[in-house]
Amino acid sequence: MELLNVCIYLRKSRADREAEARGEGETLARHERILLDLAKKRGYNVGAIYKEIVSGETISARPVMQQVLREVESGMWDGVLVVEVERLARGDTIDQGVVARAFRYSETLIITPLKTYDPNNEYDEEYFEFGLFMSRREYKTIRRRLTAGRESSAKEGKYCGSKPPYGYSRVKLVGEKGWTLQPVPDQAEIVKLIFNLYVHGVAGERIGMAKICRKLNDSGIKTMDGGLWTVPRVQAILRNPVYAGMIRWNSRKAVKHIQDGQITISRPFAKDYILVEGRHPAIVSKELFQQAQDIVNQNPARPLNSLHVLRNPLAGIIRCGKCGYVMTRKAPSGRQVDLLRCPYSSCNNVSSKLPLVEKALLDGIQELVDGYKLNSNFSDQEYSLSISEKEEMIRGKLKEIDVLRKKKEKQYDLLEQGIYSTEEFLERSRATAAELSACDTVIHSLRQEIKHEQELQFQRSSFIPKCEDLLAHYWTWDTSTKNQFLRELIEKAVYTKNAKNTWKNGDDISFTLDIYPKIQQK
């Protein structure tokens, strides 16, 4: 019998979750036992077991499946064990084609308890593709049923979201299917505070969203996820009718678009959506909620100007070293020059003149160039030697794998001869499988390191000339060109400043700027 190096792929479907809810046991554990028994019966060497917890429609939403496909395409496995072919792909015809092509071109078998599919066998290929087609059809039927069920629940005033909004907890309805919301006292008071500050203000003076954020953050009040308050978070609360006791559903449907051959998803605001009385208690009155809507509608967001001219050469590059936000340009007033500041109002990171930060960034790039030139010869020799050593290590591990494969074959012979008991065979087989898996892991890691170092050599040879070109021409370029070239070379730069400069020392660089170039450092 041929010794196949295989992996096991386990994925939980919606039907599995329903079965678990009925008390039929944990699905992935049951499937794992079935496939391990199959591998034992057929003498396969199981190198890895992959478990997909998420139930994604497409391959892009299933990271474990992406990893399996990468390994299949690289020829890492002789076969993949699944309980049924439908577990591999339930996406559209493009996703199904990606899966079929990966297995066909890598000549990787798809092994199920009922049948082994050889993608290079014409009849097996047709059977496999038909199975994926039926799986897709079943998926659409299930999805239509679930969508209709959620819509029906929303019309009944039940809460259909997977996560509760700030101010509420999600609770199961008693005696019937579905969920509703229950106010969280401490958070509910914060929601009331936000609405009252926005509508009534303090001492008759209304407070905007930015000032509300600052007040909440200065008071040490955290968001649901423990983060800081921002204008979009406050606006989301003010716009959400759930706080007035209503249920809104399908207000932002996912709309798919094709852009450069890739599927992108947007969620525009819909005009036709479900808005009904909810079965949960309101936190604010409908009158207060409507007053907030009137004020928000009087201050709409400014439309994007297609003729917008970039004025910050460091746009998107400099990040605040204290809160992580992208630093922004502040337009000059009077005789002052442009400033670079953290947009987050409660952050105490001190701003600096934009030209000073610009100069510090260029000085840092110059240091990178000088450091490379100083050590360039030594680095090239070091990398070449390192690659040669890793290639020799890979050859050693491949020889070790050959020895282990022969050892595994002998274990099966000893089992058939009755020299090994079943328990002893399983113990030794697992140990051999672990050694084989460890060898594969080391080889994969070494190959990744070789690839990384080869890319690194290429990057170093191309990165430095680009830096030199930027340094030579930077001050002759317009703002947009400066930003474009800096983005090609710099991943980010982290800015930190703790104290303001004195009036006489206004042009001193008294901040730190940690630069992260796109060239990878060893």
Side-chain angles (χ1 to χ4, degrees), residues 210-230:
K211 290 184 178 179
I212 292 175
C213 290
R214 187 181 306 170
K215 182 177 181 63
L216 294 174
N217 290 321
D218 289 346
S219 301
I221 299 169
K222 299 297 183 182
T223 61
M224 180 83 82
D225 57 6
L228 298 171
W229 289 92
T230 60

Side-chain angles (χ1 to χ4, degrees), residues 164-170 181-192 222-224 229 237 242-243 280-283:
Y166 182 85
Y168 285 104
S169 62
R170 186 167 169 261
L181 297 172
Q182 178 178 311
V184 177
D186 294 342
Q187 294 182 3
E189 290 302 316
I190 302 304
V191 172
K192 292 178 184 178
K222 299 297 183 182
T223 61
M224 180 83 82
W229 289 92
I237 288 178
V242 73
Y243 297 109
H280 62 279
I283 291 179

